[in-house]
């Protein structure tokens, strides 16, 4: 079976009617999906130049002059938040990073614990996660005991330790990776983006399972290279060879990467290929529409019923406008633009003119999208 046929087989595994691809994506380990997340960032000027899997740690992100050795930990839904006691126990993550530090401490960089989900806000966890090097002596001693080393020996490790909670969850990371992918390739349709993402996951999984661990000397040499060898790890040259279209680096990439979460409205628009400007305008209008809805609904029962009627009519019209564009790669931009031009159609949804102009009614559509009632790309 060639690579193309393999990708098709993986897509068929999703089954009819599935709209997210999550069943297909979910077969890959959390570490693999994180690896693709960082692999996409190799196209950013200040991003990693290569991502290694199972080289001393789950993930090793190599930059010019330093490396980030990362242990990735996931949590089952419903489990309690991360705490110092959890990460200090055997298999909690600190023990693995401690072993990696002993083997590769001559390599400049950090040793990082990447935690899916939130951490507790109580002490001593909060202080330790914020700055392990500044933890009190009793915390230092407790960590040293959990690692089986004297307190004095653990201090150099803590100086280079970073704990990063709030990593993308297993339920959100696929959507986030797809959004990054579609922002990189504006001409890419959602089905092609999903096919490409599956292929990137398969490559990352093969990299995880089929490579031997890099020695500290090899890693140090790689850190000092200006460019990562094409054949080693997940580098930008290899990524570019797998992408289905011309790459355009978004102006707001840094902001997009820094945000831990996004609203349902923004998520839907990004998956519908909307531009940064469209998304920002939609967010602004959603606030306007939400305020107007609240104002109208604050009146008597008849006003609440009128507001609900306006919402239903505006939603119906938005769906009618969106349907012809459902196969368009940039459906989000086009539907939003058409809504803003639909003065007559949207105005008919508000016969008493309680919602001012068309922008407030477009804001109402954005609000119902944020409530998961309008997907922008119709099924």
């Amino acid at each position: 079976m060639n690579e193309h046929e393999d990708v098709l087989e993986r897509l068929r595994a999703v089954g009819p009617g599935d709209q997210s691809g999550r069943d297909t994506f979910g077969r890959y380990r959390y570490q693999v999906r994180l690896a693709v997340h960082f692999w996409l960032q190799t196209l950013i000027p200040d991003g990693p130049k290569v991502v290694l899997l199972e080289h001393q740690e789950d993930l090793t992100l190599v930059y010019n002059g330093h490396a980030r050795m990362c242990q990735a930990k996931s949590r089952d839904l419903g489990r309690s938040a991360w705490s110092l006691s959890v990460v200090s126990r055997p298999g909690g993550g600190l023990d693995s990073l401690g072993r990696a530090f002993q083997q590769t401490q001559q390599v400049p960089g950090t040793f990082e614990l990447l935690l899916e989900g939130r951490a507790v806000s109580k002490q001593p966890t909060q202080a330790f996660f914020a700055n392990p090097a500044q933890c009190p002596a009793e915390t230092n001693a407790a960590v040293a005991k959990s690692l089986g080393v004297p307190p004095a020996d653990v201090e150099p490790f803590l100086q280079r330790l970073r704990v990063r909670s709030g990593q993308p969850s297993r339920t959100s990371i696929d959507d986030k990776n797809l959004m990054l992918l579609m922002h990189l390739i504006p001409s890419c349709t959602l089905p092609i983006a999903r096919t490409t993402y599956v292929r990137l996951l398969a490559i990352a999984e093969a990299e995880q399972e089929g490579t031997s661990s890099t020695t500290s000397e090899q890693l140090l040499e790689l850190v000092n290279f200006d460019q990562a060898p094409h054949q080693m790890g997940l580098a930008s040259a290899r990524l570019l060879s797998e992408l289905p279209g011309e790459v355009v680096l978004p102006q707001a990439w840094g902001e997009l990467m820094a945000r831990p979460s996004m609203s349902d409205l923004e998520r839907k628009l990004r998956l519908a290929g909307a531009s940064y400007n469209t998304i920002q305008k939609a967010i602004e209008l959603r606030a306007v529409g939400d305020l107007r809805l609240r104002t109208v609904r604050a009146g008597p029962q008849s006003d609440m019923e009128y507001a609900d009627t306006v919402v239903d009519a505006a939603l119906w019209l938005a769906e009618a406008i969106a349907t012809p564009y459902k196969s368009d790669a940039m459906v989000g931009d086009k539907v939003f633009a058409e809504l803003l031009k639909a003065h007559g159609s949207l105005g008919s949804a508000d016969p008493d003119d309680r919602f001012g102009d068309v922008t407030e009614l477009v804001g109402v559509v954005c609000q119902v999208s944020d409530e998961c009632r309008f997907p922008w790309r119709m099924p």
Side-chain angles (χ1 to χ4, degrees):
M1 179 182 294
N2 61 35
E3 184 178 63
H4 177 66
E5 291 172 337
D6 179 59
V7 171
L8 289 177
E9 286 297 319
R10 292 179 188 275
L11 287 176
R12 291 191 189 103
V14 177
D18 180 72
Q19 297 297 312
S20 68
R22 190 163 290 140
D23 289 342
T24 300
F25 307 150
R27 68 171 293 271
Y28 295 97
R29 299 172 188 169
Y30 181 64
Q31 290 86 344
V32 169
R33 291 140 84 188
L34 269 182
V36 172
H37 187 68
F38 289 116
W39 190 14
L40 292 171
Q41 296 174 50
T42 60
L43 300 177
I44 309 172
D46 59 351
K49 60 183 177 181
V50 64
V51 178
L52 305 174
L53 289 94
E54 301 298 339
H55 290 252
Q56 303 297 339
E57 262 304 345
D58 289 338
L59 300 170
T60 300
L61 313 179
V62 181
Y63 297 77
N64 285 320
H66 72 283
R68 296 170 57 192
M69 272 69 79
C70 303
Q71 168 77 194
K73 306 298 289 185
S74 59
R75 294 281 271 175
D76 291 334
L77 189 66
R79 295 288 298 274
S80 58
W82 294 100
S83 65
L84 176 57
S85 62
V86 170
V87 301
S88 298
R89 66 181 56 155
L94 286 185
D95 51 355
S96 178
L97 287 172
R99 291 190 294 269
F101 174 77
Q102 294 299 321
Q103 296 169 358
T104 60
Q105 58 184 297
Q106 68 270 40
V107 178
T110 54
F111 296 81
E112 303 187 11
L113 194 55
L114 306 182
L115 304 176
E116 175 194 10
R118 68 182 183 88
V120 300
S121 57
K122 297 179 180 180
Q123 303 297 356
T125 296
Q126 188 176 43
F128 181 82
F129 282 18
N131 192 341
Q134 298 296 320
C135 61
E138 58 269 24
T139 305
N140 185 318
V143 172
K145 181 179 180 181
S146 70
L147 297 177
V149 298
D153 292 348
V154 82
E155 290 182 6
F157 168 60
L158 296 180
Q159 291 289 336
R160 296 170 63 182
L161 176 65
R162 306 290 185 271
V163 182
R164 306 188 189 280
S165 59
Q167 296 301 306
S169 69
R170 283 171 288 176
T171 59
S172 68
I173 191 169
D174 297 316
D175 279 353
K176 189 160 190 175
N177 285 344
L178 278 170
M179 285 180 252
L180 295 179
L181 188 57
M182 293 183 73
H183 273 274
L184 285 171
I185 312 170
S187 62
C188 184
T189 64
L190 185 57
I192 292 176
R194 286 175 175 156
T195 302
T196 303
Y197 181 44
V198 170
R199 185 164 65 248
L200 297 181
L201 288 170
I203 292 170
E205 183 180 62
E207 187 73 21
Q208 182 186 53
E209 296 178 350
T211 56
S212 57
S213 182
T214 305
T215 65
S216 58
E217 291 77 14
Q218 290 172 320
L219 185 57
L220 184 60
E221 187 177 6
L222 183 58
V223 163
N224 292 325
F225 281 159
D226 289 333
Q227 297 292 330
H230 178 77
Q231 71 277 12
M232 186 172 188
L234 305 176
S236 60
R238 189 174 181 184
L239 176 60
L240 288 170
S241 71
E242 298 293 338
L243 297 183
E246 182 180 358
V247 171
V248 178
L249 191 63
Q251 292 182 348
W253 180 278
E255 177 186 337
L256 181 64
M257 293 304 305
R259 297 169 66 179
S261 60
M262 59 186 67
S263 67
D264 283 320
L265 168 63
E266 183 175 356
R267 180 178 63 83
K268 289 181 176 67
L269 281 169
R270 290 194 185 279
L271 288 175
S275 67
Y276 174 76
N277 288 337
T278 292
I279 292 170
Q280 293 304 110
K281 185 64 175 177
I283 291 172
E284 293 172 6
L285 293 187
R286 187 210 66 79
V288 173
D290 180 48
L291 178 60
R292 177 63 70 181
L293 274 174
R294 291 174 184 272
T295 301
V296 174
R297 285 172 170 162
Q301 181 67 29
S302 59
D303 286 354
M304 294 181 63
E305 292 172 353
Y306 179 81
D308 291 341
T309 300
V310 170
V311 169
D312 291 341
L315 179 59
W316 183 87
L317 289 165
E319 291 172 347
I321 290 171
T323 297
Y325 297 102
K326 63 182 180 181
S327 299
D328 197 296
M330 310 302 290
V331 60
D333 284 341
K334 293 187 176 180
V335 172
F336 188 76
E338 290 298 320
L339 284 170
L340 288 174
K341 292 190 296 185
H343 296 273
S345 298
L346 279 176
S348 66
D350 179 28
D352 293 353
D353 198 25
R354 302 283 296 277
F355 286 80
D357 58 23
V358 68
T359 57
E360 290 191 351
L361 291 170
V362 175
V364 169
V365 173
C366 294
Q367 172 62 23
V368 297
S369 176
D370 202 45
E371 297 169 353
C372 298
R373 296 176 61 189
F374 181 56
W376 297 89
R377 187 186 299 276
M378 300 303 293

